[in-house]
Amino acid sequence: MIRKMPWWLGGIFMAGLLLFAFSYIGAGRPIGASTYVPYFAGILFNLDPKEYPYLQEVHNAGAWEGVMLLGALAGGFLTSIFVTKTFKFTLMPPAWKKYKNDSVKSRLIWSFVSGFLLIIGARLAGGCTSGHFLSGMSQGAISSMIFGGVVLVTLLITGKLFYKSEADDVR
Amino acid sequence: MLDRILSIFTTVGQEPHGSVWIVLLIGFIFGVIVQYTRVAEFEKIAGFAMLKDTVVPKMLFLAIGLASIGLYIMVEMGYAEYHIKPVILGGLIVGGILFGIGMAIFGKCPGTGPVSIAEGRIDVMVGAAGGIFGGLFFTLYYDKFKMIMGESLGKPTLNTIFTGHEGLSILVFGIGLIIISIIIPLRELDDK
């Protein structure tokens, strides 16, 4: 079996999945993937939704995305074992070593910090790559286009400033 | 805590459309597509931030272009409805900046991160812990964050801006994105 699906086939399938999710025979709603995070945080830290208005706001969407996430974990896991054969416990991506540094500690600290920023950012904007880019822009929503533009510019500036442009040859 | 975890399924079961199984299926297919196309790899997202890999924007723009046209037709035929997010300028701009910085450094977004964890990436698991604390922080200080987000300026879309030419505006938008996805030169960063 081919170990990798080409981008254009992935794009076609992703569009089909999005349309199925939107349709009434599917879920009648867009795909999203960042609302479940505060929802899970509320459960993990045992916060009472009565005291935290935000938990009430994300109650339904958070649960929906939590269940979708379970499916995504299963789908990703099985594909990585049987199809792409890429399942492996690793601490550092190869390109981090080439374009940043070879310190595991540095990668883990930056992962934690960037994961934190990612969720704060998504919650401020009300969506992420799934909710704003995929679902939002497919509806022609202006809010999603503003978010998409800002993310694109910031992503490229950060990529330019944070990483080295030439790869280290150390292996 | 267990009863709250189990209540997740009850909440989803009560939604007007889509059983728990359908939602699981949607997630499953999402996980397969993301894993099979390898777009959850650090090399794909951080690689795009370095402009050394263009698979993510090509796939994303193609999916949006196709879905925008398909969704418009479905809404017109009564098979679906729009769910538009409001324009909250402070939230979109400040949020977009933090999100862009986080995405470039982490090399993941909230949808691709879990798929990477399912592939055994421990650094992503640490990042997810950071994300959970982000979610906690946001929930605790929601009233402060609301001041940054600002007032909603409504929910404009291409359809409300180009009234009278809704179908045409979506068609131009969709085809434009499909063309962009094709003309972006294909570059791939080695993930070995």
Side-chain angles (χ1 to χ4, degrees):
Chain A
M1 196 183 300
I2 302 169
R3 294 229 189 138
K4 194 165 142 191
M5 185 189 278
W7 66 272
W8 54 270
L9 198 54
I12 293 172
F13 278 129
M14 194 55 97
L17 180 68
L18 199 55
L19 293 178
F20 176 70
F22 264 107
S23 75
Y24 295 133
I25 53 161
R29 54 156 290 159
I31 287 179
S34 62
T35 314
Y36 71 85
V37 184
Y39 180 79
F40 278 5
I43 294 177
L44 272 176
F45 294 93
N46 206 17
L47 304 179
D48 185 355
K50 286 192 200 77
E51 287 172 44
Y52 297 97
Y54 192 61
L55 291 181
Q56 294 163 29
E57 271 184 43
V58 300
H59 183 72
N60 287 347
W64 193 92
E65 292 180 9
V67 173
M68 188 194 123
L69 170 74
L70 280 181
L73 286 172
F77 176 70
L78 292 176
T79 308
S80 77
I81 294 275
F82 295 110
V83 185
T84 59
K85 300 188 167 48
T86 46
F87 184 91
K88 196 178 160 194
F89 287 109
T90 60
L91 284 162
M92 194 199 290
W96 181 277
K97 202 170 186 172
K98 272 188 224 162
Y99 296 102
K100 188 61 188 173
N101 58 42
D102 56 3
S103 156
V104 169
K105 197 170 126 194
S106 155
R107 171 60 185 161
L108 295 185
I109 292 171
W110 277 114
S111 289
F112 189 90
V113 172
S114 56
F116 184 88
L117 292 178
L118 195 69
I119 297 303
I120 298 280
R123 292 298 84 219
L124 274 171
C128 61
T129 320
S130 306
H132 262 315
F133 269 90
L134 272 177
S135 303
M137 282 172 73
S138 296
Q139 304 177 77
I142 303 302
S143 53
S144 302
M145 294 180 203
I146 297 173
F147 179 74
V150 174
V151 170
L152 204 61
V153 170
T154 320
L155 182 85
L156 296 178
I157 294 176
T158 311
K160 179 104 186 125
L161 298 178
F162 188 77
Y163 298 103
K164 293 178 272 197
S165 54
E166 294 298 320
D168 281 348
D169 290 330
V170 283
R171 277 291 171 108
Chain B
M1 197 198 275
L2 190 67
D3 53 324
R4 266 178 92 171
I5 293 172
L6 291 174
S7 77
I8 295 175
F9 296 100
T10 326
T11 308
V12 174
Q14 285 162 349
E15 294 279 307
H17 300 285
S19 66
V20 171
W21 290 109
I22 290 213
V23 181
L24 278 171
L25 178 71
I26 290 172
F28 189 88
I29 298 172
F30 182 84
V32 172
I33 298 173
V34 167
Q35 180 61 256
Y36 207 169
T37 50
R38 316 292 300 128
V39 289
E41 286 281 280
F42 175 84
E43 282 69 22
K44 290 277 164 285
I45 296 177
F48 171 49
M50 296 184 244
L51 286 178
K52 294 182 195 298
D53 195 301
T54 54
V55 168
V56 168
K58 281 174 83 72
M59 181 171 149
L60 206 53
F61 285 141
L62 178 64
I64 299 168
L66 292 172
S68 60
I69 297 170
L71 187 60
Y72 178 79
I73 296 170
M74 276 167 52
V75 171
E76 286 297 299
M77 293 175 72
Y79 295 136
E81 61 191 349
Y82 283 130
H83 302 258
I84 308 291
K85 292 179 193 290
V87 172
I88 35 163
L89 276 182
L92 290 172
I93 294 171
V94 179
I97 291 172
L98 296 180
F99 192 86
I101 295 173
M103 196 168 160
I105 297 176
F106 196 13
K108 313 285 158 186
C109 53
T112 54
V115 179
S116 268
I117 292 175
E119 198 187 10
R121 305 288 174 256
I122 296 165
D123 54 325
V124 182
M125 223 178 281
V126 174
I132 292 282
F133 276 99
L136 176 71
F137 192 68
F138 191 84
T139 305
L140 295 179
Y141 300 103
Y142 184 44
D143 49 339
K144 307 272 190 305
F145 280 111
K146 254 188 161 165
M147 290 193 285
I148 301 174
M149 290 156 78
E151 291 299 306
S152 166
L153 302 176
K155 299 179 175 179
T157 69
L158 291 179
N159 288 348
T160 63
I161 290 175
F162 298 100
T163 319
H165 306 281
E166 289 91 349
L168 183 67
S169 68
I170 287 287
L171 198 64
V172 170
F173 176 71
I175 291 176
L177 284 180
I178 294 170
I179 292 173
I180 289 174
S181 79
I182 294 169
I183 59 173
I184 294 175
L186 181 64
R187 298 186 69 179
E188 292 199 66
L189 184 60
D190 188 13
D191 58 0
K192 296 284 179 322

